[in-house]
C-alpha cells in the first residue's frame, strides 16, 4: 500500500487540496481523522486504488491495523442525482438485512469538509475478483463452469428477495422501469456527445417500440457481471460479496439477466468494452444459453425477449461510455487509458445492440 501522496490524486492536507486546480480524490489527514473519530482507525493511513470502475472511485484503506474500503464519486461537477453515496450505502445495509452478500457498511460521511464529496466506508471482503486472468483457485478447468454458475445463482438469489413489502419496497418505483430507462438514456445522449452516431436514435426508437411486458418485480442491481463479484478464496467457487450498487433500484429482473448475458464474453461473439471478464471466452466456460436455463429453473420467466434486454444493456452502456469519451477528449480525465478506446468502443457497443435487436 501507498503512504506518500502523489500530489495529484492524493494529497496530505486540506491546504494542499485547496492549492490544486483540480480537486484530489483523497485527502490523507482529513480522512484519517474522520476514521479515527468513527472508531475505525488510529490517525494513520495507507491506501491503494482498486477496482476497474469508470464512474465511482474505490480505495483500499489501512488504518490502525484495520482493512477498509472507501468509496466516493468522481471529481465534481456531478450530474444531479448521480453518484449518491448515501443511497448506495443505505441500499447495501437493507440488502445485508435480507441476507444478500454485500460488504458491511461501517460509516457514511456527507460532510464536504472531509473530502469535498460524500463517501462511505465498508469492511474489506477477502476474496478474488475475476477479470482478465483466473486466480489460482479457479485455474483448473473443472472450476470454470462452477465459477459461472455461482454468478448466475447469486443473481437468482438476489431476484428472490421480497420487494413487495418492508424497507426494500421503498428503494425504487418498479412500475414503468423499462420505459423510464429508454426515455432517460435517450435524453442523455445529446448532452454527452460531440459526434454524430445515428444508430443511437435508431436503437432508441426500436427499443421504445418493442418494450416487453414486465413479468415480475425485483431488486435490479444494474451492473451485474462477474467483474462485480467477490469470490471467496478456495473451492468450489462461491460468492462472498456482490459489489457496486450505484445503479440499484426496483424493476424488471430480466434487465439484470440481459445485462449479465450481454457482458459475458464468449467465443464468436462481438467484443465490446463491456467484456471486462475476458476469461469466460475459454472453452470450459458454459455458454450463455446454459446460464439462462439455470436462471429460469429458479425463476420460470418467459425469456424469448432476452435479446431486447441485451440490446438495452449495450445501448445504455454506449450512452454512458460516450460521456466518458467526451470528458476524456475535453481533458477532464488525464491519464485515462480507457477513454481513448471508446472512439471505436462506443460504435462497437451500438453495433452489438443492433445485432441483439435483429
Amino acid at each position: 500500500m501507498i503512504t506518500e501522496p502523489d500530489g495529484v490524486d492524493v494529497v496530505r492536507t486540506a491546504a494542499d487540496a485547496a492549492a490544486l486546480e483540480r480537486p484530489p480524490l483523497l485527502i490523507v489527514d482529513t480522512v484519517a481523522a474522520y476514521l479515527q473519530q468513527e472508531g475505525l482507525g488510529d490517525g494513520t493511513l495507507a491506501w491503494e486504488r482498486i477496482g476497474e470502475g469508470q464512474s465511482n472511485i474505490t480505495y483500499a484503506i489501512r488504518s490502525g491495523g484495520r482493512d477498509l474500503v472507501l468509496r466516493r464519486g468522481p471529481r465534481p461537477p456531478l450530474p444531479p442525482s448521480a453518484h449518491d453515496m448515501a443511497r448506495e450505502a443505505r441500499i447495501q445495509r437493507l440488502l445485508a438485512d435480507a441476507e444478500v452478500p454485500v460488504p458491511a457498511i461501517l460509516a457514511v460521511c456527507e460532510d464536504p469538509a472531509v473530502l469535498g464529496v460524500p463517501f462511505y466506508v465498508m469492511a474489506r471482503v477477502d476474496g478474488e475478483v475475476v477479470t482478465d486472468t483466473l486466480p489460482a483457485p479457479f485455474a483448473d478447468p473443472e472450476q470454470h463452469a462452477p465459477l459461472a454458475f455461482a454468478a448466475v445463482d447469486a443473481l437468482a438469489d438476489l431476484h428472490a428477495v421480497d420487494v413487495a413489502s418492508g424497507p426494500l419496497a421503498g428503494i425504487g418505483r418498479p412500475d414503468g422501469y423499462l420505459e423510464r430507462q429508454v426515455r432517460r438514456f435517450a435524453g442523455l445522449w445529446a448532452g454527452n456527445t460531440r459526434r454524430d452516431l445515428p444508430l443511437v436514435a435508431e436503437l432508441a426508437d426500436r427499443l421504445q417500440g418493442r418494450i416487453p411486458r414486465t413479468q415480475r418485480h425485483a431488486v435490479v442491481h444494474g451492473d451485474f457481471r462477474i467483474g462485480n463479484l467477490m469470490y471467496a478464496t478456495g473451492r468450489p467457487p462461491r460468492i462472498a460479496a456482490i459489489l457496486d450498487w450505484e445503479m440499484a433500484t426496483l424493476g424488471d429482473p430480466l434487465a439484470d439477466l440481459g445485462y449479465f448475458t450481454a457482458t459475458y464474453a464468449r467465443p464468436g461473439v462481438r467484443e465490446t468494452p463491456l467484456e471486462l471478464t475476458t476469461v469466460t471466452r475459454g472453452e470450459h466456460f458454459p455458454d450463455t444459453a446454459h446460464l439462462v436455463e439455470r436462471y429460469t429453473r429458479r425463476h420460470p420467466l418467459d425469456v424469448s425477449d432476452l435479446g431486447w434486454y441485451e440490446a438495452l444493456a449495450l445501448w445504455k452502456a454506449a450512452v454512458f461510455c460516450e460521456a466518458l469519451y467526451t470528458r476524456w477528449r475535453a481533458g477532464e480525465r488525464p491519464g485515462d487509458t480507457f477513454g481513448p478506446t471508446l472512439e471505436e468502443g462506443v460504435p462497437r457497443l451500438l453495433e452489438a445492440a443492433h445485432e441483439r435487436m435483429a
Side-chain angles (χ1 to χ4, degrees), residues 196-264:
D196 183 25
L197 295 175
L199 196 50
V200 176
E202 178 186 331
L203 284 165
D205 289 343
R206 294 182 66 192
L207 287 164
Q208 180 63 45
R210 290 174 48 184
I211 294 177
R213 178 184 64 85
T214 294
Q215 300 168 64
R216 62 185 295 268
H217 296 154
V219 174
V220 174
H221 180 277
D223 192 12
F224 192 94
R225 53 187 174 83
I226 287 177
N228 272 335
L229 303 175
M230 180 71 75
Y231 285 82
T233 302
R235 303 178 182 180
R238 178 177 60 82
I239 305 304
I242 305 172
L243 310 174
D244 195 354
W245 293 90
E246 175 185 358
M247 293 184 284
T249 187
L250 300 185
D252 187 331
L254 291 185
D256 266 349
L257 182 62
Y259 186 94
F260 179 65
T261 55
T263 60
Y264 182 75

Side-chain angles (χ1 to χ4, degrees), residues 138-146 284:
F138 310 137
D140 184 343
E142 291 186 0
Q143 301 300 316
H144 295 183
H284 296 287

Side-chain angles (χ1 to χ4, degrees), residues 66 78 147 218 231:
R66 296 193 66 163
L78 305 179
L147 185 150
Y231 285 82

